[in-house]
Amino acid sequence: MPHLTASADARRIAGGEQLGFGVPGYAHPLLAPAEWAELARPGTPLHWAVLNIADGPGSRPDPHCLEAAGRLRNARERALHGEAPDDTVRASGGRLLGHLDLAQGERPFDELIADARSFIDWYRIGGFYLARCPADRPGLPAVRRLTGTLHALLAESDSADGGGRLVLGHGTHPYPGYAEAADQLVTFQGPWTDYRWSQVAEWTADYPPERFAHFVHGVPRTHLEEAMRVARWQGAGTIFFTDRNDRDGRSGQSDPFAALPSYWDEIVSRIGPGISE
């Protein structure tokens, strides 16, 4: 039983929140065609997926990434505008987010904005994932400046319906002020051996589950239900669980989140079909 420090919040105890997937970033579509195809499969409860070509948008538009982005965007359009049957099995409604590496606050503001404009112009993304985002209080003003500018860029874009979505990839609980700087925070990223005994910051109880995401690798199939209970108890609405580890020879990737978990179909069925707002 994981050791938790959350306050007695009814939404965590009830465990009835609808979970959905956030995909930190699959491998290039040429290397991971099955993964990218699954994102647009009808009924996949996808909240968002990250497009990362070369720690950013790359130097020029990539035709394979353009195709993958178009398929996901079309699936979202069908789901949101009623072209697919309006029942419990709907097309995925997830957004495509561009990957911006903040390098713990070391990357120049102008460089990040240039990458953001390329993502918007080339791939018509619906938001941004800010990887390696600072988590301490001194880093907050610069992140607020960046997210404010990104929101303005997305608002001007015809592809970012609803103003777009910004996700801060801390990977740990940040200073509470970050919760007001973006739409969602990644407050855990790491192995199952840490996650199952993890603690949740009490301040997170003031926010709904859609404000938090957890990414966990090395989750055995036999512990899937337990992992989902931890996510619900800790108030996370977006998850990505995988049995792959950070040095997994099966996929040839050092990133455990770059490929599908072996139990993908099972975890999709456990969560159930859904659509992101």
Side-chain angles (χ1 to χ4, degrees):
M1 183 68 184
H3 177 57
L4 306 173
T5 58
S7 60
D9 186 355
R11 65 179 170 84
R12 302 182 196 277
I13 295 172
E17 297 293 340
Q18 175 71 26
L19 294 174
F21 295 122
V23 179
Y26 283 145
H28 190 279
L30 271 179
L31 301 176
E35 281 77 357
W36 284 96
E38 282 297 314
L39 296 182
R41 187 175 71 170
T44 301
L46 179 68
H47 290 171
W48 46 263
V50 177
L51 179 63
N52 182 12
I53 293 91
D55 285 331
S59 58
R60 62 182 61 85
D62 182 302
H64 303 286
C65 293
L66 286 169
E67 182 181 358
R71 285 199 303 267
L72 185 58
R73 188 167 54 249
N74 290 339
R76 177 174 172 80
E77 287 296 313
R78 288 194 301 270
L80 293 179
H81 299 295
E83 295 176 22
D86 188 11
D87 54 27
T88 57
V89 182
R90 305 181 66 175
S92 62
R95 297 176 187 269
L96 186 66
L97 308 183
H99 176 105
L100 296 177
D101 184 359
L102 271 60
Q104 301 300 331
E106 295 299 317
R107 285 194 67 198
F109 175 83
D110 291 345
E111 187 176 298
L112 290 165
I113 295 303
D115 279 357
R117 291 186 185 277
S118 294
F119 266 122
I120 292 173
D121 293 344
W122 298 343
Y123 300 106
R124 299 183 62 205
I125 47 86
F128 292 100
Y129 180 80
L130 278 58
R132 294 201 293 168
C133 183
D136 57 5
R137 186 171 184 173
L140 179 57
V143 171
R144 279 180 170 161
R145 179 193 178 202
L146 176 62
T147 57
T149 304
L150 293 176
H151 269 306
L153 291 176
L154 290 166
E156 297 171 358
S157 169
D158 60 359
S159 64
D161 55 285
R165 187 166 187 81
L166 299 182
V167 180
L168 302 183
H170 306 287
T172 187
H173 287 96
Y175 174 72
Y178 283 93
E180 303 304 322
D183 301 292
Q184 192 174 56
L185 313 179
V186 179
T187 53
F188 184 93
Q189 180 168 340
W192 166 243
T193 51
D194 292 342
Y195 187 61
R196 68 184 308 190
W197 306 112
S198 62
Q199 298 179 340
V200 62
E202 291 190 9
W203 63 264
T204 64
D206 294 332
Y207 297 90
E210 60 263 26
R211 301 299 303 280
F212 303 105
H214 291 170
F215 301 147
V216 190
H217 61 78
V219 181
R221 182 188 300 269
T222 53
H223 289 277
L224 267 179
E225 193 61 42
E226 182 184 355
M228 287 190 282
R229 284 199 302 269
V230 174
R232 290 188 174 104
W233 182 266
Q234 293 198 8
T238 301
I239 61 169
F240 192 86
F241 296 158
T242 180
D243 54 340
R244 300 183 186 276
N245 292 296
D246 52 5
R247 288 179 177 84
D248 195 333
R250 290 175 301 168
S251 65
Q253 295 281 343
S254 60
D255 180 0
F257 304 112
L260 286 172
S262 67
Y263 45 61
W264 173 256
D265 288 339
E266 180 176 346
I267 193 172
V268 168
S269 66
R270 282 174 181 255
I271 292 176
I275 183 170
S276 171
E277 292 299 330

